Amino acid sequence: MSNPDELLVAISAAVESERSNQMSLTVVVGGAVITGRLAPEAVWRERVAEVLKDSERLGPFSNVFTRGPRGGRSGRGDAPTHLHFHLARILQGTLGIPETGGMYRVAIEDVSAWTVGDLSYSDR
């Protein structure tokens, strides 16, 4: 979407204010369906950095995620521009990739549809 949905921005702002990191959301981005829980950006960055730090090959990249947002954006007073998913899956047919959930960063302006809640599929 060229103009981000006001409700989606408000949901993201509420998560960023750390009032809740349990908000489940499903979005459509570029035809892909992503479902999971939102986290504040700082928490999301910390978790990604932890995963990278434990990797022999990717460890040096962990520092990229421990730095704050560029441009001095504090997250307070500025409208969020991205959704930060954890425990998220890309839904494809009857399965979610990855099965255990992953960490995804999605530009709010790229979301073409969304709904509250975490979708899951079953072949039953």
Side-chain angles (χ1 to χ4, degrees):
M1 331 178 154
S2 56
N3 293 321
D5 184 304
E6 290 177 20
L7 287 172
L8 195 53
V9 171
I11 288 169
S12 182
V15 170
E16 285 299 322
S17 72
E18 299 186 37
R19 286 183 273 182
S20 172
N21 65 355
Q22 299 297 310
M23 181 63 180
S24 296
L25 194 71
T26 300
V27 297
V28 178
V29 180
V33 178
I34 300 173
T35 189
R37 286 192 300 184
L38 297 177
E41 181 177 0
V43 171
W44 182 87
R45 284 173 171 263
E46 183 178 302
R47 289 182 183 163
V48 172
E50 287 172 5
V51 170
L52 292 175
K53 186 185 279 186
D54 291 339
S55 169
E56 187 175 316
R57 291 182 303 135
L58 301 176
F61 292 98
S62 68
N63 293 335
V64 172
F65 291 89
T66 58
R67 292 185 224 132
R70 285 188 347 183
R73 191 179 138 247
S74 65
R76 288 175 177 54
D78 297 329
T81 58
H82 290 78
L83 301 169
H84 295 88
F85 284 92
H86 67 112
L87 302 174
R89 297 171 321 282
I90 297 175
L91 300 181
Q92 179 65 42
T94 60
L95 54 111
I97 305 165
E99 287 184 16
T100 57
M103 307 290 283
Y104 295 100
R105 177 177 160 110
V106 175
I108 293 173
E109 69 181 16
D110 292 339
V111 174
S112 59
W114 62 275
T115 188
V116 171
D118 185 353
L119 300 181
S120 61
Y121 285 155
S122 172
D123 59 349
R124 295 179 196 174

